[in-house]
Amino acid sequence: MSTLARDIAGNSDLVLIVDDVPDNLAVLHDALDESGYTVLIATNGEQALQRAVQAKPDIVLLDAMMPGIDGFEVARRLKADAATAHIPIVFMTGLTETEHLVAALEAGGVDYVTKPIKPKEVLARMNVHLQGARRARQDARQAGQARNALDAFGYASITVRLPEGRLIWQTALARDLLQRYCDTRAPETPPAVLEWLRSHTPDARERGIEPPALSIVQGAGSLTLRLHQQTGGDDDGDEWMIIMREVSDTAVIEAMSLSLKLTAREAEVLYWVVKGKTNKDIGEILGSSPATAKKHLERVYVKLGVETRTAAAGVAIKRIRELQPQFEI
């Protein structure tokens, strides 16, 4: 069952139990079912990988020792796949030697329970990790909404980890901008961006000083980068978020279209009105007639709640200054 289907049905958390011993499966299945969980089972590693990808369970209870693909390898593969990497894995093992327990955690497990299985203990451990996973999903949704909002208004953002200089996260708009302006793709950070970041992060970290913006020019457009904040760090390095903004005719028109709820062509017409062009000029620029430009402008008046060309231009200029303060009108 997909995550969406479960949400619509209002079902509880989905648990995938992986064990090659039928008696173990039966004991856990019954205990979880009675506690209100939706349960899937797999009896080998290959089946576990297939069901995890298809069903996206909320948690996996994974037998460490199985014939064929063992639990350690199943965990490594799940953690290597972006679609399943977030799923918490609790190992079930009869091996109590420290080296085996360490191996379980190194493979991606968040916890382990020892056999023979005690259902109450499993339920208690599961509940802790499910609560953590719910908080992580909520945080991810909120972060995703914030990132989408940035993209919608023409902003883009990336996160770079120092000192290695690896680009570890980016919005869709950031990916497109970096490809167009720098011809690079994650995890590579553009050399100019990396040099700028390494030069200014010491002051940003120690003294809280925001460094000067970095500008990358390409033709009639330019990409401006500002250091936003440090978003994480550990003994091995720091993570820094960078906000990017493209300044160009196209970027302004797209931002106006989104923010003023205009069609792409209406936004183009309004943009050239702001630039002081007549309907005849606009028709020539857009490859249409003056009458067509006038019709588009009339629809703009209705959407903006204004009655004149000057008033429409005033609304647009105010919005452009909010969205693209660097842009020269």
Side-chain angles (χ1 to χ4, degrees), residues 3-327:
T3 302
L4 177 60
R6 287 189 286 118
D7 287 345
I8 293 173
N11 290 339
S12 61
D13 293 307
L14 177 60
V15 183
L16 172 60
I17 309 173
V18 186
D19 200 314
D20 62 316
V21 179
D23 287 347
N24 291 340
L25 289 172
V27 169
L28 276 175
H29 181 283
D30 291 348
L32 292 171
D33 185 62
E34 288 176 5
S35 297
Y37 292 99
T38 302
V39 182
L40 286 177
I41 61 172
T43 56
N44 58 64
E46 192 66 42
Q47 192 178 67
L49 292 169
Q50 293 173 353
R51 293 192 173 170
V53 170
Q54 180 182 27
K56 303 294 190 302
D58 295 292
I59 195 167
V60 176
L61 301 179
L62 179 59
D63 185 19
M65 304 303 294
M66 296 182 293
I69 303 175
D70 65 18
F72 302 118
E73 180 61 20
V74 169
R76 282 190 286 268
R77 294 192 192 182
L78 290 176
K79 292 303 175 182
D81 186 341
T84 54
H86 66 284
I87 301 172
I89 298 171
V90 176
F91 273 93
M92 303 181 293
T93 177
L95 304 172
T96 57
E97 291 85 353
T98 301
E99 63 185 274
H100 294 296
L101 303 180
V102 170
L105 299 177
E106 289 181 343
V110 296
D111 204 346
Y112 62 87
V113 292
T114 56
K115 295 182 177 181
I117 294 299
K118 304 176 184 63
K120 288 185 178 180
E121 178 187 2
V122 174
L123 287 166
R125 298 283 185 90
M126 277 177 45
N127 187 49
V128 170
H129 298 298
L130 283 169
Q131 288 179 358
R134 290 188 197 104
R135 286 194 296 270
R137 287 197 299 270
Q138 182 178 7
D139 291 344
R141 280 196 298 269
Q142 291 173 343
Q145 290 167 355
R147 293 163 189 163
N148 290 339
L150 285 172
D151 273 9
F153 285 95
Y155 290 95
S157 51
I158 61 175
T159 299
V160 177
R161 184 171 177 82
L162 295 179
E164 65 262 40
R166 184 164 51 94
L167 196 162
I168 61 174
W169 174 83
Q170 62 186 349
T171 64
L173 180 57
R175 182 188 61 240
D176 295 341
L177 290 172
L178 291 179
Q179 287 180 1
R180 283 198 284 118
Y181 279 85
C182 305
D183 195 26
T184 60
R185 297 183 180 184
E188 180 186 359
T189 302
V193 175
L194 191 53
E195 181 181 356
W196 167 76
L197 192 57
R198 284 173 170 162
S199 297
H200 295 290
T201 48
D203 278 344
R205 183 192 303 108
E206 296 166 13
R207 301 166 59 189
I209 297 175
E210 181 180 347
L214 172 66
S215 183
I216 301 173
V217 179
Q218 184 184 85
S222 66
L223 183 64
T224 300
L225 296 88
R226 295 186 178 278
L227 189 60
H228 182 58
Q229 64 181 10
Q230 184 176 347
T231 59
D234 51 37
D235 292 340
D236 296 323
D238 301 322
E239 296 171 6
W240 295 87
M241 177 178 281
I242 298 168
I243 302 295
M244 303 188 296
R245 192 67 179 275
E246 183 181 27
V247 179
S248 68
D249 291 346
T250 301
V252 172
I253 290 169
E254 289 177 351
M256 286 173 55
S257 175
L258 286 166
S259 64
L260 297 176
K261 296 181 172 57
L262 304 176
T263 66
R265 183 47 59 94
E266 290 166 354
E268 284 183 296
V269 170
L270 181 56
Y271 175 80
W272 292 113
V273 167
V274 170
K275 287 289 190 177
K277 303 298 183 181
T278 65
N279 288 347
K280 180 180 178 182
D281 295 331
I282 296 171
E284 291 176 354
I285 293 169
L286 302 182
S288 61
S289 68
T292 299
K294 182 181 178 182
K295 288 181 180 178
H296 284 301
L297 191 54
E298 287 172 350
R299 287 196 287 270
V300 169
Y301 293 164
V302 173
K303 290 184 177 181
L304 299 187
V306 299
E307 297 181 356
T308 67
R309 193 182 194 91
T310 302
V315 171
I317 290 171
K318 182 176 183 295
R319 186 53 55 89
I320 290 171
R321 284 175 174 159
E322 292 171 353
L323 300 175
Q324 298 272 11
Q326 310 97 328
F327 191 79

